[in-house]
C-alpha cells in the first residue's frame, strides 16, 4: 500500500539514492552497479533485521564506489542497530571494515579472532600464506608469494587437516587427525602446531 511505498522511498533516500520518489518505479538495468547495491542495502534494512549477511557486497564495483558502499553499510547498520556479517575474499575490505574475522578453508574455520591480530600475527599457516600473498607496495619484488597446490574438492577433502597437502609446516599428526579450534594468543586456530608450540613453552 501507500504506507509501504512511502517507507521504501525513505529507505532509498537513506541509502543515498537521489530523487527516490521517481526512481522507485525504475528497473534494475536503469541503475548503475553502485546504485543497485544501495537498493539491495535498502531491501536488507526493510525487514529491520538484527543481522545482515553481506556476501561479496563490493565485487564488480569500482574501487571508489566500493569504499562508499562499505562506509554506507557501516553507517546504516549502526543507525539501525544491525550487525553485519561480511563474506569476502578482499582482505583490504576486511581490514577497513570488520572487528573480528574468521578465515575459512575447505568449508571450516581455520582461524578466528580480532582483525588486527589475525592480519598481523596469524597463527594458522593458511592465514600466514594469505597475508604473505598480499603485495607490499613498499617492497620491490619479481614474484608474488603464493600458496602452492590447489584447494581440495569438497567431496575429496584429505584426512586430518584439510590444508595438510599444501602446508609448509605439516607433520605426521596433521595427516591423521583433524584439529579443532584452539587458543593461539589473541586468536583461535585449528592447527596442531599451536598445541605443539604451547607444549614447548610449558
Amino acid at each position: 500500500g501507500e504506507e509501504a511505498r512511502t517507507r521504501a522511498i525513505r529507505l532509498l533516500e537513506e541509502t543515498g539514492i537521489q530523487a527516490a520518489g521517481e526512481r522507485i518505479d525504475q528497473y534494475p538495468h536503469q541503475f548503475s552497479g553502485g546504485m543497485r547495491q544501495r537498493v539491495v542495502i535498502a531491501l536488507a534494512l526493510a525487514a529491520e533485521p538484527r543481522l545482515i549477511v553481506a556476501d561479496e557486497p563490493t565485487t564488480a564495483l569500482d574501487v571508489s564506489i566500493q569504499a562508499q558502499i562499505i562506509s554506507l553499510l557501516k553507517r546504516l547498520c549502526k543507525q539501525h542497530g544491525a550487525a553485519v556479517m561480511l563474506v569476502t575474499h578482499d582482505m583490504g575490505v576486511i581490514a577497513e571494515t570488520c572487528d573480528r574475522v574468521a578465515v575459512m578453508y575447505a568449508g571450516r574455520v581455520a582461524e578466528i579472532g580480532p582483525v588486527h591480530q589475525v592480519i598481523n600475527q596469524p597463527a594458522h599457516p593458511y592465514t600466514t600464506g594469505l597475508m604473505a600473498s598480499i603485495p607490499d607496495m613498499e617492497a620491490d619484488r619479481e614474484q608474488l608469494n603464493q600458496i602452492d597446490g590447489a584447494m581440495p574438492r569438497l567431496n575429496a577433502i584429505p584426512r586430518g587437516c584439510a590444508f595438510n597437502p599444501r602446508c609448509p609446516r605439516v607433520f605426521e599428526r596433521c595427516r591423521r587427525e583433524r584439529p579443532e579450534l584452539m587458543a593461539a594468543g589473541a586468536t583461535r586456530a585449528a592447527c596442531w602446531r599451536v598445541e605443539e608450540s604451547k607444549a614447548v613453552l610449558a
Side-chain angles (χ1 to χ4, degrees):
E2 198 56 41
E3 191 181 328
R5 185 182 173 88
T6 303
R7 184 157 179 270
I9 291 168
R10 194 171 69 246
L11 279 166
L12 290 175
E13 286 170 345
E14 247 189 281
T15 61
I17 291 182
Q18 305 296 318
E22 288 106 62
R23 301 213 73 181
I24 194 168
D25 293 316
Q26 292 184 326
Y27 292 97
H29 71 268
Q30 294 174 279
F31 289 80
S32 68
M35 286 293 148
R36 284 198 293 266
Q37 203 64 300
R38 288 168 188 269
V39 171
V40 171
I41 292 169
L43 276 169
L45 290 168
E48 297 179 9
R50 288 167 61 189
L51 172 69
I52 291 176
V53 180
D55 190 352
E56 295 284 4
T58 58
T59 300
L61 295 179
D62 175 82
V63 175
S64 60
I65 304 297
Q66 282 186 14
Q68 289 176 25
I69 294 298
I70 289 297
S71 174
L72 176 72
L73 192 59
K74 283 173 71 174
R75 179 173 57 79
L76 288 178
C77 286
K78 196 170 185 180
Q79 285 173 7
H80 286 257
V84 184
M85 184 166 79
L86 191 63
V87 181
T88 183
H89 65 278
D90 190 327
M91 294 307 292
V93 167
I94 289 165
E96 288 293 316
T97 311
C98 303
D99 301 311
R100 289 175 59 76
V101 62
V103 176
M104 297 190 72
Y105 186 81
R108 288 175 62 84
V109 175
E111 185 164 3
I112 186 168
V115 166
H116 185 76
Q117 276 79 7
V118 171
I119 287 175
N120 293 297
Q121 298 164 302
H124 195 286
Y126 177 59
T127 314
T128 304
L130 281 182
M131 294 303 109
S133 69
I134 297 170
D136 181 354
M137 294 302 145
E138 308 291 311
D140 185 21
R141 60 168 105 169
E142 287 183 21
Q143 281 189 309
L144 295 175
N145 287 320
Q146 65 179 22
I147 300 171
D148 291 332
M151 183 77 76
R153 294 193 320 275
L154 294 186
N155 64 354
I157 291 176
R159 189 173 168 211
C161 173
F163 188 59
N164 84 65
R166 307 175 70 188
C167 185
R169 304 192 65 211
V170 66
F171 66 113
E172 193 48 44
R173 190 176 185 185
C174 310
R175 298 187 178 98
R176 287 194 325 264
E177 294 176 65
R178 186 170 71 185
E180 298 298 329
L181 286 168
M182 53 193 98
T187 78
R188 291 168 70 222
C191 179
W192 292 124
R193 287 289 180 190
V194 170
E195 190 172 273
E196 190 184 61
S197 63
K198 280 185 191 165
V200 170
L201 291 170

